[in-house]
Amino acid sequence: MKIHEYQAKALFWEWGIPVPRGGVAATPEEARGIAEGLAGPVVVKAQIHAGGRGKGGGVKAAATPEKAYEAARQILGMQLITHQTGPEGKRVSRVLVEAASVIDRELYLSLLVDRSRGKECVVFLASEAGGMEIEQVAGESPEKIVRCAVHPAVGFSPFQARKLAVGLGLSAAQRDPFAEILRNLYRLFLEKDGSLLEINPLAVTRAGDFLALDAKLTFDDDGLYRHPEILALHDPAEEELLEVLAGDASVNYIKLAGNVGCMVNGAGLAMTTMDLIKMAGGEPANFLDVGGSASPERIEKAFRIIAADPNVRCILINIFGGVLRCDRVSAGLIQAATHSSMDLPMVVRLQGTHRDEGRRMLEASGLRFTVADGLYEAAEKAVALLGG
Ligand code: GDP
Ligand code: MN
């Protein structure tokens, strides 16, 4: 789960990581009020879950409260497009107004979980090329990136802080405050089950102090149950609407770019089905696992979520009936098709418990569907339907 910059900065503040003073505003009047309180030049920043806001016109400097009002008026309500939002952009409903800083250097700092075999630990990445995308730095001048893996049993050590400080060319006087920031970031990351934390840029002010000017923080979804205060920061407006609906229906759904909708039980079978669709020359529109004990109601919800994607031109239903019986799947599909006026063609592959009963129900329903027995046969039939 991602959170907004202003929420991440509030956490930073709480954990002793220096951030600019500021506040969040939903209207230009509120933005002006915050700027008045800060009594000096400010920066007005769009709050969306995507980077590249600066280049996209979502970050504006304002010398006076009146200019902050004007900047907020321009940014609020805009459909901000950055390289991370996709072509449709994201609607801005809040801005962060914070004291502008006089920056001497811009550094890059992040923490992530390295899952590769034999590593499996938290890693610090730092670079003197802050303000730039780290992917670009990695491509053009990888020698500018300093890495430091933290052994989970040993924890973050002072020598690692020194290594990173030297790699960034920090002065002797800056090393202790820098080490303090690293220690606090590591504690925050571990305590709250972070999966990615990025500060780009970590500014060095003219006075030589550090200040996190940007903050991106992502949490491990599987750890959220331990942190209700983090879960409370969830912003459903930032997510794919269909994925939110799927979450409510307890269905594992990930929207993809293709046009063959998939309904499958079991994550492994769902992945295999997607592979087979691609092998047959099609593109899956989604990953969807209805789970092992789905009721007809849940099948109906899953079906509606798939059909609500405007790109979907046919649906492949691949169910291996075990605990989830084929007749209950058919009941759900019939329920869904009669409750909605959906008339997309379907390919149905039912195998396992109560298969014959499931098929009979579908045949008697008058729905538009094609039966398949084999896995690959089902994928081929679905792709063939796209041509017709
Ligand atoms: P992003 O483009 O979404 O990553 O948003 P950032 O928070 O990184 O802001 C974009 C750029 O605005 C940063 O790289 C900084 O160069 C600049 N910026 C942000 N805050 C300040 C500030 O307080 N003072 C100055 N001078 N520049 C700032
Ligand atoms: Mn940034």
Side-chain angles (χ1 to χ4, degrees):
M1 185 189 97
K2 291 183 183 175
I3 60 173
H4 286 292
E5 177 192 9
Y6 76 92
Q7 298 168 324
K9 282 179 168 169
L11 277 170
F12 280 9
W13 171 253
E14 204 182 303
W15 287 74
I17 299 135
V19 291
R21 288 179 306 130
V24 69
T27 65
E29 290 75 19
E30 282 171 21
R32 178 170 52 205
I34 295 166
E36 279 164 357
L38 292 170
V42 296
V43 181
V44 180
K45 308 178 73 178
Q47 297 300 288
I48 57 168
H49 287 182
R53 295 163 302 162
K55 287 191 194 107
V59 178
K60 291 190 195 301
T64 63
E66 222 32 64
K67 290 201 170 119
Y69 175 93
E70 194 45 44
R73 207 180 56 78
Q74 283 172 21
I75 297 174
L76 284 167
M78 84 188 275
Q79 201 69 24
L80 181 55
I81 301 169
T82 81
H83 67 285
Q84 287 184 0
T85 59
E88 71 284 358
K90 272 195 170 157
R91 199 183 149 75
V92 184
S93 54
R94 268 168 304 218
V95 290
L96 173 62
V97 181
E98 57 182 25
S101 320
V102 185
I103 304 171
D104 194 27
R105 288 181 72 192
E106 290 193 349
L107 307 173
Y108 173 94
L109 185 63
S110 66
L111 266 140
L112 46 99
V113 182
D114 188 341
R115 292 189 165 82
S116 48
R117 191 105 188 222
K119 298 206 179 88
E120 294 154 338
C121 62
V122 173
V123 175
F124 275 98
L125 288 187
S127 164
E128 53 183 315
M132 259 165 90
E133 307 294 325
I134 194 68
E135 292 83 359
Q136 194 186 340
V137 181
E140 289 170 10
S141 34
E143 73 286 353
K144 285 195 180 145
I145 299 178
V146 205
R147 264 179 74 96
C148 180
V150 185
H151 191 286
V154 179
F156 186 65
S157 316
F159 82 87
Q160 297 182 303
R162 272 197 302 281
K163 177 184 161 190
L164 289 168
V166 169
L168 292 174
L170 300 182
S171 71
Q174 287 173 323
R175 288 188 197 167
D176 281 348
F178 183 65
E180 176 75 12
I181 291 174
L182 298 179
R183 241 190 331 270
N184 290 338
L185 286 172
Y186 184 70
R187 282 195 310 133
L188 165 63
F189 194 80
L190 225 57
E191 172 71 26
K192 302 291 184 191
D193 292 312
S195 60
L196 179 70
L197 183 160
E198 184 181 66
I199 305 178
N200 188 20
L202 172 66
V204 183
T205 64
R206 192 144 313 152
D209 299 321
F210 296 99
L211 210 47
L213 286 196
D214 193 3
K216 293 202 171 28
L217 192 44
T218 309
F219 300 92
D220 183 342
D221 291 346
D222 291 328
L224 284 172
Y225 73 97
R226 298 200 277 213
H227 312 292
E229 74 292 351
I230 301 292
L231 197 54
L233 304 176
H234 179 235
D235 181 355
E238 284 290 333
E239 278 166 42
E240 190 65 58
L241 181 62
L242 293 176
E243 290 180 11
V244 175
L245 286 175
D248 292 344
S250 310
V251 166
N252 291 314
Y253 170 89
I254 310 280
K255 185 172 154 31
L256 301 167
N259 51 15
V260 181
C262 312
M263 182 186 309
V264 189
N265 65 329
L269 190 56
M271 303 271 270
T272 310
T273 306
M274 287 161 48
D275 284 348
L276 292 172
I277 290 171
K278 284 199 81 112
M279 277 173 67
E283 286 291 334
N286 64 275
F287 166 93
L288 189 148
D289 168 18
V290 287
S293 57
S295 61
E297 284 66 39
R298 199 192 290 174
I299 300 281
E300 176 177 355
K301 277 189 185 147
F303 190 80
R304 283 171 180 264
I305 289 163
I306 296 171
D309 175 353
N311 295 331
V312 169
R313 299 215 344 251
C314 73
I315 300 178
L316 171 51
I317 294 146
N318 185 13
I319 301 288
F320 188 79
V323 179
L324 175 60
R325 290 168 8 205
C326 294
D327 56 328
R328 302 182 79 182
V329 174
S330 295
L333 291 176
I334 294 165
Q335 216 165 292
T338 37
H339 289 174
S340 62
S341 50
M342 195 311 293
D343 69 340
L344 288 165
M346 290 181 273
V347 176
V348 185
R349 174 179 180 260
L350 296 177
Q351 291 294 1
T353 315
H354 291 201
R355 178 193 72 174
D356 295 339
E357 174 63 11
R359 282 200 189 165
R360 253 197 307 279
M361 287 166 71
L362 285 177
E363 270 154 18
S365 70
L367 295 176
R368 266 176 88 187
F369 71 94
T370 311
V371 173
D373 280 314
L375 255 176
Y376 191 56
E377 178 200 343
E380 280 185 316
K381 283 187 166 163
V383 173
L385 282 174
L386 295 173

